[in-house]
Amino acid sequence: MSKYDISQRRACKLVSVDPKTVRREREPDNPHIRKRMREIASQRRRFGYRRIELMLAREGIIMNQKKLRRLYREEGLAVKRRRGRKRATGTRTPMPIPDGPCMRWSLDFVADTFGAARRFRILAVIDDFTRECLALVADTSISGQRVARELDRLMRLYGKPETIVSDNGSELTSRAILEWQNERGVAWHYIAPGKPMQNGFVESFNGKLRDECLNEEVFDSLAHARSILGRWRHDYNHIRPHSSLGGLTPAARRSLELDGSTAPDALAKPQTMNYGKARLSL
């Protein structure tokens, strides 16, 4: 190459040598970022490079988006489009057991109709420790940005939770929610797909909401539905006795914890989460 001023590829072809045998193997650039990207992708299998970028930014790793996309492709982390029915893809890290109010919130969506079969959705948010229903937000459409605004409102009323638990719905895995987590510093636990009992507290609450309210009422309008849900939520929190709380109401349970009073013996038992055949009572 130095004598005849020709390229490496041309020289290798003339002497019948594979270029790979003479080229120096270079180590991949940014190995620590590649490693962290693989770790995030193994835990959140449906996250693309944009959402991984938000997760890295939360840890103080900020880099050019084009470079991050190149590393993402080189590591073979591209998300494959699913076809056919949904299938469970594994479990996540076990959730911490709450031992006080406002430590872990759970949220989920419930659907119903009003008027001439007009569908609307209800965002339910509960405190897993006190079993208190923090919000029942009803609307014809609830986006990720709307969920983030409602969570900000609840944080002003009840304080900042340590963890929020939800399923993998599109609204709850949206960019708006990921940015909200990053800005507020709230840990978010996504249950494994196809495993609703990993979010058993809110699933049990949904059953009570459906049985005691939604199936008992015929809603004329969205405003009517919001009025009925508001009254039922007040009854659920302040009047309805809960067997899992020793006959107390969620509001009384919260007051006991905030005042430091002695709770009944039924409440002294440790809270447990069974991801198998669990029966959670509200």
Side-chain angles (χ1 to χ4, degrees), residues 68 71 108 121 209 213 215 220 263:
L68 181 68
L71 299 180
D108 198 10
R121 307 184 73 193
L209 173 63
C213 179
N215 290 346
D220 298 329

Side-chain angles (χ1 to χ4, degrees), residues 163-208:
T163 306
I164 295 178
V165 185
S166 74
D167 58 18
N168 296 267
S170 59
E171 303 89 350
L172 305 177
T173 57
S174 64
R175 188 180 183 89
I177 291 297
L178 293 176
E179 291 177 347
W180 182 87
Q181 299 174 40
N182 191 15
E183 294 172 358
R184 304 299 185 273
V186 177
W188 199 293
H189 181 97
Y190 291 103
I191 66 173
K195 302 292 184 180
M197 282 312 300
Q198 290 185 9
N199 201 8
F201 289 110
V202 75
E203 291 293 340
S204 180
F205 171 82
N206 291 344
K208 300 295 187 297

Side-chain angles (χ1 to χ4, degrees), residues 27-254:
E27 296 183 358
D29 57 332
N30 304 105
H32 64 289
I33 296 180
R34 292 174 183 265
K35 179 181 178 182
R36 186 59 188 140
M37 289 175 62
R38 290 194 298 268
E39 292 174 352
I40 295 174
S42 65
Q43 297 175 357
R44 305 178 184 276
R45 297 179 177 89
R46 305 306 299 172
F47 277 19
Y49 75 94
R50 293 185 179 88
R51 290 176 179 171
I52 290 180
E53 179 187 9
L54 291 174
M55 301 295 289
L56 293 176
R58 181 183 301 178
E59 302 174 6
I61 303 175
I62 301 176
M63 62 186 306
N64 182 273
Q65 189 180 80
K66 292 183 179 179
K67 183 176 182 180
L68 181 68
R69 184 180 182 184
R70 174 177 63 81
L71 299 180
Y72 178 83
R73 288 183 172 181
E74 291 178 356
E75 291 299 317
L77 302 178
V79 179
K80 295 182 180 179
R81 178 175 298 179
R82 285 178 175 169
R83 300 187 182 279
R85 65 183 181 89
K86 293 183 179 179
R87 291 177 174 83
T89 57
T91 59
R92 303 295 192 269
T93 304
M95 289 183 293
I97 302 300
D99 56 5
C102 206
M103 291 192 63
R104 191 178 74 197
W105 293 354
S106 295
L107 52 86
D108 198 10
F109 287 96
V110 183
D112 208 286
T113 60
F114 68 87
R118 179 77 184 276
R119 294 182 62 83
F120 69 97
R121 307 184 73 193
I122 304 169
L123 171 65
V125 185
I126 67 169
D127 188 310
D128 289 355
F129 183 79
T130 63
R131 308 299 201 275
E132 185 176 7
C133 176
L134 305 181
L136 287 176
V137 182
D139 212 329
T140 54
S141 177
I142 302 178
S143 64
Q145 294 179 346
R146 174 70 180 280
V147 174
R149 292 197 301 269
E150 294 297 335
L151 291 176
D152 282 333
R153 180 180 65 85
L154 294 178
M155 285 174 57
R156 290 192 295 269
L157 294 174
Y158 299 99
K160 178 181 175 181
E162 295 184 5
T163 306
I164 295 178
V165 185
S166 74
D167 58 18
N168 296 267
S170 59
E171 303 89 350
L172 305 177
T173 57
S174 64
R175 188 180 183 89
I177 291 297
L178 293 176
E179 291 177 347
W180 182 87
Q181 299 174 40
N182 191 15
E183 294 172 358
R184 304 299 185 273
V186 177
W188 199 293
H189 181 97
Y190 291 103
I191 66 173
K195 302 292 184 180
M197 282 312 300
Q198 290 185 9
N199 201 8
F201 289 110
V202 75
E203 291 293 340
S204 180
F205 171 82
N206 291 344
K208 300 295 187 297
L209 173 63
R210 178 73 64 185
D211 183 56
E212 299 178 11
C213 179
L214 300 183
N215 290 346
E216 294 292 320
E217 300 287 344
V218 178
F219 304 117
D220 298 329
S221 63
L222 185 59
H224 181 221
R226 288 171 174 169
S227 175
I228 295 295
L229 290 171
R231 290 198 296 268
W232 185 86
R233 174 175 167 268
H234 181 272
D235 178 85
Y236 183 87
N237 289 335
H238 297 274
I239 301 175
R240 181 187 185 277
H242 291 242
S243 59
S244 62
L245 302 180
L248 296 178
T249 64
R253 174 59 162 156
R254 177 182 288 273

